């Protein structure tokens, strides 16, 4: 994406992450933020130039407008109507730059009864059916990490929308507004569950579906040292190899699809895992192709052999973090660098002239 000029109106979380992905892929991203803004970790801002601007100052607004007239993309994550009140709405900017792709990232979208409501990842997935499906049977819904709506449904759908609009611009010559709602992105991610419901293969009773931890061959198990192994031995061939590696005679166990026998089968499997350490089981399953892997924490992840081989987790000025993704054969992504902090309004003009 070298040569693509992106303006990021500073916000936390998914907006900053979407801008980071664009910067990772080579785009020239200029982040406009309030003076003294320290709400986003510096390493989420890698690859950008950062300009301080008080958006309550008409002169600063004029400078940002001038910057946007030379940009390909503007990315903002304000609540609906805020950019318009600042004088930085899509009508104003597209009138000056008809090729501008104006990406708007919110929780609920730009219209509708909840459009102006505050929320976080847990709120955005609450009405979708996703949160209801998470957690053990007979228990309350278990909140996931804030990856489902905020980053998967938010920042990654924002990047998808931006790339789609840029592609369309190659034929029309015009930009457009992209309305990215985290709740709708999360809904799109749950397409498989919606597709399975009519046939009865997905139940709305929590803790009864194949991939929610209710079945004994799709779950995590504690080992003797208190660490865990993850099991996803769903297919018959993987299931057979899994039992064999554990030393369980498949001919003496109930049929894999006999749900009434799952509680007893789970106890047998759990007892085997409790009999040795995670390191032992990791070595046992390292050469057995059956979808069983050790569960690592963030401190351990950089030493995973796969990640180490591909340099998937890197260090930038002493801070460990994921490398850019995906990989490209001819045009590899540039090395990750910390942001370049620019603090004066005059620097906005310098950026405009580039």
């Amino acid at each position: 994406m070298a040569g693509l000029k992106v303006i990021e109106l500073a916000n936390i979380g998914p907006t900053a992450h979407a801008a980071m992905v664009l910067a990772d892929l080579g785009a020239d991203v200029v982040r406009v933020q309030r003076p003294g803004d320290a709400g986003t970790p510096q390493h989420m801002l890698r690859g950008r130039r950062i300009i301080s601007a008080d958006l309550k100052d008409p002169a600063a607004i004029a400078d940002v407008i001038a910057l946007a007239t030379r940009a390909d993309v503007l990315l903002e994550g304000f609540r609906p109507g805020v950019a318009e009140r600042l004088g930085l709405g899509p009508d104003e900017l597209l009138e000056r730059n008809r090729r501008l792709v104006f990406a708007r990232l919110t929780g609920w979208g730009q219209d509708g009864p909840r459009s102006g409501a505050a929320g976080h990842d847990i709120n955005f997935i609450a009405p979708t059916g996703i949160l209801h499906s998470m957690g053990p049977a007979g228990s309350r819904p278990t909140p996931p990490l804030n990856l489902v709506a905020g980053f998967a449904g938010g920042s990654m759908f924002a990047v998808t929308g931006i790339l789609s609009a840029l592609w369309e611009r190659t034929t029309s010559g015009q930009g457009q507004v992209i309305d990215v709602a985290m709740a709708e992105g999360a809904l799109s991610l749950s397409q498989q569950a919606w597709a399975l419901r009519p046939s009865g293969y997905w139940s709305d009773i929590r803790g009864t579906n194949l991939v929610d931890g209710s079945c004994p061959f799709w779950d995590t198990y504690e080992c003797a040292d208190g660490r865990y192994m993850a099991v996803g031995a769903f297919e018959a061939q993987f299931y057979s190899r899994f039992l064999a590696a554990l030393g369980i005679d498949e001919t003496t166990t109930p049929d894999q699809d006999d749900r009434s026998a799952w509680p007893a089968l789970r106890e047998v499997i759990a007892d085997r895992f409790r009999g040795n350490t995670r390191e032992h089981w990791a070595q046992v399953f390292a050469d057995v192709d059956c979808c069983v892997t050790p569960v690592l924490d963030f401190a351990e992840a950089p030493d995973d052999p796969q990640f180490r081989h591909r340099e998937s987790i890197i260090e930038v000025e002493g801070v460990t973090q994921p490398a850019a993704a995906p990989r490209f054969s001819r045009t590899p992504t540039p090395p990750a660098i910390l942001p370049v902090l620019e603090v004066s309004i005059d620097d906005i003009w310098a950026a405009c002239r580039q």
Side-chain angles (χ1 to χ4, degrees), residues 3 12 60 69 72 111 122 138 141 158 162 180 210 220-221 227 238 255 271 279 281 297 301 306 341 352:
I12 60 174
T69 61
D72 297 292
D111 54 69
I122 189 172
I162 288 168
V180 184
L210 290 176
T220 59
Y221 289 92
R227 293 181 170 89
F238 297 147
D255 185 85
D271 184 63
E279 181 61 27
W281 292 117
D297 60 27
Q306 177 68 18
L341 182 60
C352 287

Side-chain angles (χ1 to χ4, degrees), residues 1 21 24-25 46 156 302 304-315 321-336:
M1 300 185 74
V21 172
D24 281 347
L25 297 177
R46 68 190 188 195
M156 299 314 296
D304 177 79
Q306 177 68 18
F307 297 153
R308 193 167 57 243
H309 172 80
R310 287 174 58 87
E311 297 181 343
S312 305
I313 301 174
I314 60 176
E315 189 173 291
Q321 56 197 279
R327 309 291 179 92
F328 297 87
S329 63
R330 288 191 302 100
T331 57
T333 53

Side-chain angles (χ1 to χ4, degrees), residues 206-262:
R206 186 164 43 261
T208 61
N209 292 294
L210 290 176
V211 294
D212 60 10
S214 62
C215 83
F217 42 88
W218 190 288
D219 204 353
T220 59
Y221 289 92
E222 187 175 8
C223 303
D225 54 1
R227 293 181 170 89
Y228 291 83
M229 294 291 291
V231 177
F234 180 79
E235 291 84 356
Q237 70 272 26
F238 297 147
Y239 178 70
S240 295
R241 296 171 194 164
F242 164 61
L243 292 184
L246 280 179
I248 298 174
D249 185 353
E250 187 175 2
T251 63
T252 65
T253 61
D255 185 85
Q256 181 183 5
D257 296 324
D258 183 359
R259 293 191 176 218
S260 66
W262 280 1

Side-chain angles (χ1 to χ4, degrees), residues 9 39 48 53 70 94 110 128 133 162-163 173 184 198 247 250 264 333:
L9 299 185
R48 270 101 104 190
R70 294 162 172 82
L94 283 167
Q110 294 296 312
T128 65
S133 299
I162 288 168
L163 297 180
E184 292 173 350
E250 187 175 2
T333 53

Side-chain angles (χ1 to χ4, degrees), residues 133-189:
S133 299
M134 295 180 171
S139 182
R140 62 183 176 83
T142 302
L145 297 179
N146 64 336
L147 303 178
V148 177
F151 294 98
S155 65
M156 299 314 296
F157 274 80
V159 172
T160 300
I162 288 168
L163 297 180
S164 299
L166 290 171
W167 172 253
E168 192 278 337
R169 193 180 72 174
T170 63
T171 55
S172 70
Q174 299 182 55
Q176 58 183 303
V177 180
I178 307 168
D179 181 359
V180 184
M182 297 179 223
E184 292 173 350
L187 276 169
S188 181
L189 294 170

